[in-house]
């Protein structure tokens, strides 16, 4: 059984009212949904809240999944739409405080996720992402961090692959500019 | 402006983030207790939905049965005629006599009007129906007798 078939089975169980199936989907997508939410929202607490809401929606909308795409693409789409709507509603960009991001990562997470150095690097990248417009940040994170294909990004954002490429190119240019401008103060290595 | 083919012909994709930077973001994991919190919220949400689904039909069924009982009681009053109703009334009221037909007619008319009002009121809340007449599904005759008994007791 493929991963997608397992996800489909879990969605069907959700549709039938099986609360335990949400746990199975969380085991598969929880980290990805949380990470994408954090990268888009820039705030640990908001990312936690968003992840909860997104999994509630996954449970509620399990019956509406048409099966035209992979379950992972559908989950990404729900996540992106939720976070972008949240950003629009709040009319603001994510937090830009590097120290704030660092403080919000607990010691348990540090143990699980690696060294303090990695956390500092992540915080620096977050500080640059925070200065990208929401649309550019979304497409940049989906490709550069999550490694989604152009086709998957197109399905997630409901745009053509060519549009994905052009927007990604602009997002990368913008990120490079920001990184160059902040290179000395933030110490970000731009390749 | 570049088109799809232009991007395709650019050669290998040039990533902006270094491996270290990408890895640092990929190490981010969801808090350990988040899974349990989500399952708890989903369970609460599901229970709330079930409550809504079952609450309304119960209320509607109770209201409908109350209304049907009211219609049945009205039909019973019409079928049995004045004497039985008058007799029931006489049992509950010392002021009426079985020979006082005009008074019985007036009482029957009051009874129907009062019972109508009572029936309409019943539709607004199933709890009151249950409190007043007991379990849903009693025959109209029992409902009417209960009503008359209570009406007599109130006088």
């Amino acid at each position: 059984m493929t991963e997608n078939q397992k996800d489909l089975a879990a969605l069907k169980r959700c549709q039938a009212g099986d609360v335990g199936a949400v746990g199975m989907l969380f085991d598969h997508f929880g980290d990805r949904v949380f990470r994408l939410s954090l990268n888009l929202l820039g705030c640990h607490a908001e990312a936690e809240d968003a992840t909860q809401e997104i999994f509630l929606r996954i449970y509620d909308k399990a019956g509406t999944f048409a099966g035209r795409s992979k379950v992972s693409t559908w989950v990404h789409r729900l996540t992106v739409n939720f976070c972008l709507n949240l950003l629009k509603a709040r009319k603001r960009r994510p937090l830009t405080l590097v120290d704030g991001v660092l403080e919000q990562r607990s010691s348990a997470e540090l143990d699980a996720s690696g060294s303090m150095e990695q956390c500092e690097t992540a915080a620096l990248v977050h500080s640059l992402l925070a200065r990208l417009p929401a649309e550019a940040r979304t497409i940049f994170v989906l490709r550069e961090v999550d490694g989604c294909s152009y086709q998957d990004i197109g399905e997630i954002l409901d745009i053509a692959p060519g549009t994905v490429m052009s927007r990604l190119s602009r997002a990368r240019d913008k990120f490079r500019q920001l990184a160059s401008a902040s290179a000395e103060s933030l110490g970000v290595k731009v390749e | 402006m570049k088109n799809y083919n232009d991007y395709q012909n650019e050669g290998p994709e040039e990533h902006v983030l270094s491996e270290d930077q990408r890895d640092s973001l990929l190490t981010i994991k969801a808090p350990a207790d988040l899974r349990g919190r989500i399952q708890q919220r989903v369970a609460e949400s599901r229970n709330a939905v079930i409550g809504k689904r079952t609450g309304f039909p119960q209320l509607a069924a109770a209201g409908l049965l109350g209304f049907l009982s009211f219609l049945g009681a009205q039909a019973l009053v019409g079928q049995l005629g004045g004497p039985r109703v008058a007799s029931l009334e006489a049992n509950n009221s010392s002021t009426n006599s079985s020979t006082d037909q005009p008074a019985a007619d007036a009482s029957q008319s009051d009874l129907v009007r009062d019972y109508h009002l009572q029936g309409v009121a019943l539709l607004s809340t199933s709890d009151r129906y249950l409190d007043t007449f007991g379990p849903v599904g009693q025959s109209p005759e029992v409902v009417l007798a209960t009503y008359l008994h209570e009406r007599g007791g109130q006088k």
Side-chain angles (χ1 to χ4, degrees):
Chain A
M1 186 182 269
T2 64
E3 290 295 319
N4 195 54
Q5 286 171 330
K6 287 180 189 172
D7 297 335
L8 276 172
L11 276 184
K12 281 183 181 171
R13 285 175 56 187
C14 284
Q15 195 180 350
D18 182 355
V19 177
V22 177
M24 290 175 61
L25 288 170
F26 184 87
D27 290 340
H28 194 196
F29 296 115
D31 287 341
R32 267 187 276 181
V33 169
F34 176 77
R35 187 170 59 235
L36 183 55
S37 300
L38 180 59
N39 288 335
L40 295 181
L41 299 172
C43 170
H44 196 280
E46 284 184 347
E48 275 192 34
D49 291 343
T51 304
Q52 289 191 40
E53 293 300 327
I54 289 160
F55 274 94
L56 276 175
R57 290 185 181 201
I58 289 172
Y59 179 81
D60 288 339
K61 294 177 180 289
T64 68
F65 179 68
R68 286 190 292 269
S69 64
K70 288 183 289 186
V71 176
S72 59
T73 305
W74 183 67
V75 170
H76 268 96
R77 187 173 185 153
L78 281 176
T79 306
V80 167
N81 286 342
F82 184 87
C83 291
L84 290 182
N85 284 336
L86 201 62
L87 288 172
K88 276 181 196 169
R90 293 179 184 174
K91 300 277 184 190
R92 64 162 182 72
R93 289 185 180 182
L95 300 178
T96 56
L97 295 175
V98 174
D99 290 342
V101 175
L102 276 177
E103 285 170 7
Q104 288 161 346
R105 296 188 72 175
S106 67
S107 57
E109 283 176 81
L110 289 177
D111 290 342
S113 63
S115 65
M116 176 62 82
E117 189 182 347
Q118 276 189 320
C119 285
E120 287 173 349
T121 306
L124 292 173
V125 176
H126 275 141
S127 72
L128 291 173
L129 286 176
R131 284 183 260 174
L132 281 177
E135 184 189 82
R137 189 187 317 142
T138 303
I139 208 161
F140 184 89
V141 167
L142 286 172
R143 182 64 180 174
E144 287 281 331
V145 182
D146 289 340
C148 294
S149 69
Y150 293 133
Q151 186 180 344
D152 285 346
I153 295 173
E155 287 179 17
I156 291 166
L157 301 177
D158 202 17
I159 54 178
T163 310
V164 173
M165 288 180 169
S166 58
R167 289 187 188 177
L168 178 62
S169 178
R170 284 198 292 273
R172 280 172 168 158
D173 289 344
K174 181 72 177 170
F175 188 89
R176 282 194 193 96
Q177 289 171 14
L178 291 169
S180 298
S182 307
E184 287 188 10
S185 58
L186 295 174
V188 173
K189 180 185 174 187
V190 182
E191 293 185 344
Chain B
M1 184 177 276
K2 292 179 186 177
N3 60 28
Y4 182 84
N5 289 330
D6 293 331
Y7 288 108
Q8 290 284 62
N9 295 331
E10 279 185 347
E13 186 177 8
E14 192 177 326
H15 288 281
V16 176
L17 291 182
S18 68
E19 283 297 313
D20 288 346
Q21 289 169 340
R22 184 168 183 265
D23 288 346
S24 71
L25 296 182
L26 288 174
T27 57
I28 295 172
K29 295 190 184 304
D33 62 338
L34 196 52
R35 186 184 193 273
R37 278 189 276 155
I38 286 170
Q39 279 193 306
Q40 187 180 347
R41 280 197 61 188
V42 170
E44 288 169 359
S45 168
R46 182 169 179 264
N47 290 339
V49 170
I50 289 172
K52 280 181 188 172
R53 282 178 184 163
T54 55
F56 178 74
Q58 281 176 353
L59 184 66
L64 181 62
L65 281 170
F67 184 66
L68 291 175
S69 296
F70 158 67
L71 291 178
Q74 275 198 317
L76 191 65
V77 169
Q79 285 172 2
L80 294 178
R84 180 171 174 184
V85 173
S87 171
L88 288 166
E89 281 285 276
N91 290 337
N92 291 298
S93 169
S94 59
T95 57
N96 290 339
S97 70
S98 60
T99 57
D100 190 4
Q101 192 61 40
D105 288 344
S107 177
Q108 181 180 340
S109 154
D110 287 347
L111 170 65
V112 171
R113 189 189 66 240
D114 288 351
Y115 193 67
H116 173 75
L117 293 173
Q118 183 82 355
V120 171
L122 282 172
L123 291 176
S124 64
T125 162
S126 62
D127 287 344
R128 188 172 171 200
Y129 176 89
L130 292 170
D131 289 345
T132 308
F133 297 126
V136 173
Q138 284 184 342
S139 70
E141 194 165 7
V142 172
V143 171
L144 178 60
T146 308
Y147 169 73
L148 289 173
H149 174 73
E150 291 200 346
R151 191 166 182 262
Q154 289 169 358
K155 284 185 178 177

